[in-house]
Amino acid sequence: MSGHSKWANIKHKKSKEDAIRGRIFTKLARELTVAARTGGGNPEANPRLRIAIEKAKSVNMPSDNIKRAIQKGTGELNDGTNYEELMYEGYGPLGIAVLMQVTTDNKNRTAPEIRKIFSKYGGNMAEAGAVAWMFSRKGEIIIEGENEEKIMELALEEDLSIDDVEQSDGETKITTEPENLYQVQSKLKEHKFNITSCELVMVPSTYVQINSVSDAKKVLGFLEQLEDHDDIQNVYSNIDIPDEIMKEVEKEN
């Protein structure tokens, strides 16, 4: 697996840790609410909501919490909160490009808080379009086990539209075009693969390689602070950390 894929793995593992502490539930509730508001409360007719529900269940979010969040989106429950979806962009330490998916009920509070994180690490926020052009939307599925060969065989047998398959650290990541995500997910389930993550992501076209342990720690610390912000749903970056450097970072943590 190429180094740039490591950030996706770090986020994936971190979401499990956050779920234990309950921190991720707030973000998932917002996503469920917004998904239901924009596409309706029926997950069969609303792919975004279906993904949000599956993600919530994967981290053991209580079913009552899921139901309430959806009802807020459909208008069955109204607590007076109105979430706005925004995409913020910027350049972090070492000039890395960062794209942030934000859901907030007060952008006048959120924007300065995010700007402060950028400033702390020597980066800066950017105007709309400055960074977004580097990224394209893709479907991403992560399954347990290093199953690259099996997935490639399945893709040929079932005529699945898969763009890329990578494996590392006991997991396999499958990349698809957004419109093919659910078909691939369904076939993987049929063939009893254990799916640990299925979502739409933003993938960069070019990467900034991180060439030292100290730079890697700085960049990862910056990205993790953004991830920890309650209003930031997802963080996408174009970092490429070579495996040998990533292993050194993991040893020190």
Side-chain angles (χ1 to χ4, degrees):
M1 181 181 284
S2 55
H4 61 256
S5 301
K6 291 292 184 181
W7 173 234
N9 281 359
I10 290 166
K11 288 198 295 182
H12 177 53
K13 290 170 184 173
K14 186 174 183 300
S15 70
K16 292 180 180 178
E17 294 168 3
D18 286 350
I20 294 171
R21 297 189 296 268
R23 294 179 57 185
I24 200 172
F25 289 172
T26 299
K27 294 189 179 189
L28 287 171
R30 291 187 186 188
E31 173 60 15
L32 288 161
T33 297
V34 173
R37 186 187 71 196
T38 56
N42 179 6
E44 295 304 316
N46 184 346
R48 179 177 175 181
L49 180 60
R50 184 164 68 242
I51 286 179
I53 291 172
E54 289 181 359
K55 191 169 184 178
K57 288 180 177 178
S58 75
V59 295
N60 299 315
M61 186 174 183
S63 56
D64 285 348
N65 294 34
I66 295 173
K67 183 179 178 181
R68 281 197 301 272
I70 294 171
Q71 288 177 330
K72 287 178 183 179
T74 58
E76 295 172 72
L77 291 177
N78 185 3
D79 62 357
T81 305
N82 184 28
Y83 291 118
E84 183 177 4
E85 283 193 289
L86 303 164
M87 194 70 84
Y88 287 160
E89 307 174 34
Y91 293 97
L94 307 179
I96 65 169
V98 182
L99 198 61
M100 295 152 285
Q101 187 180 354
V102 172
T103 304
T104 179
D105 59 352
N106 184 354
K107 65 181 179 182
N108 293 326
R109 177 200 68 231
T110 302
E113 289 177 354
I114 295 175
R115 192 173 289 112
K116 186 176 179 180
I117 297 173
F118 272 82
S119 179
K120 176 182 175 181
Y121 284 87
N124 60 277
M125 299 277 281
E127 294 184 1
V131 166
W133 65 271
M134 301 182 198
F135 294 81
S136 57
R137 189 171 293 278
K138 296 287 185 179
E140 180 183 276
I141 301 171
I142 296 176
I143 62 173
E144 281 189 359
E146 297 187 4
N147 291 297
E148 182 175 357
E149 189 173 331
K150 290 181 180 178
I151 296 301
M152 297 305 295
E153 289 175 359
L154 180 63
L156 290 172
E157 290 172 8
E158 299 284 358
D159 193 27
L160 294 180
S161 297
I162 290 175
D163 291 354
D164 192 25
V165 181
E166 300 175 294
Q167 64 181 26
S168 180
D169 298 330
E171 294 181 328
T172 303
K173 185 181 78 171
I174 301 151
T175 305
T176 75
E177 291 301 315
E179 62 271 18
N180 298 324
L181 179 63
Y182 311 114
Q183 179 209 15
V184 174
Q185 179 196 34
S186 177
K187 287 296 179 183
L188 289 172
K189 284 183 176 179
E190 282 182 25
H191 288 265
K192 310 301 181 183
F193 287 99
N194 187 13
I195 298 172
T196 58
S197 175
C198 176
E199 59 188 329
L200 293 171
V201 298
M202 301 298 290
V203 177
S205 56
T206 60
Y207 293 87
V208 173
Q209 184 162 312
I210 309 302
N211 294 311
S212 73
V213 172
S214 60
D215 283 347
K217 289 171 70 174
K218 182 176 183 179
V219 167
L220 291 173
F222 164 68
L223 293 174
E224 286 173 6
Q225 279 213 13
L226 292 176
E227 282 276 353
D228 285 342
H229 194 286
D230 287 343
D231 295 341
I232 299 180
Q233 293 291 102
N234 291 295
V235 178
Y236 305 106
S237 172
N238 67 340
I239 61 169
D240 182 349
I241 303 179
D243 286 347
E244 60 272 18
I245 290 178
M246 197 66 229
K247 287 174 183 175
E248 289 299 315
V249 172
E250 289 171 348
K251 279 183 188 177
E252 295 183 18
N253 289 340

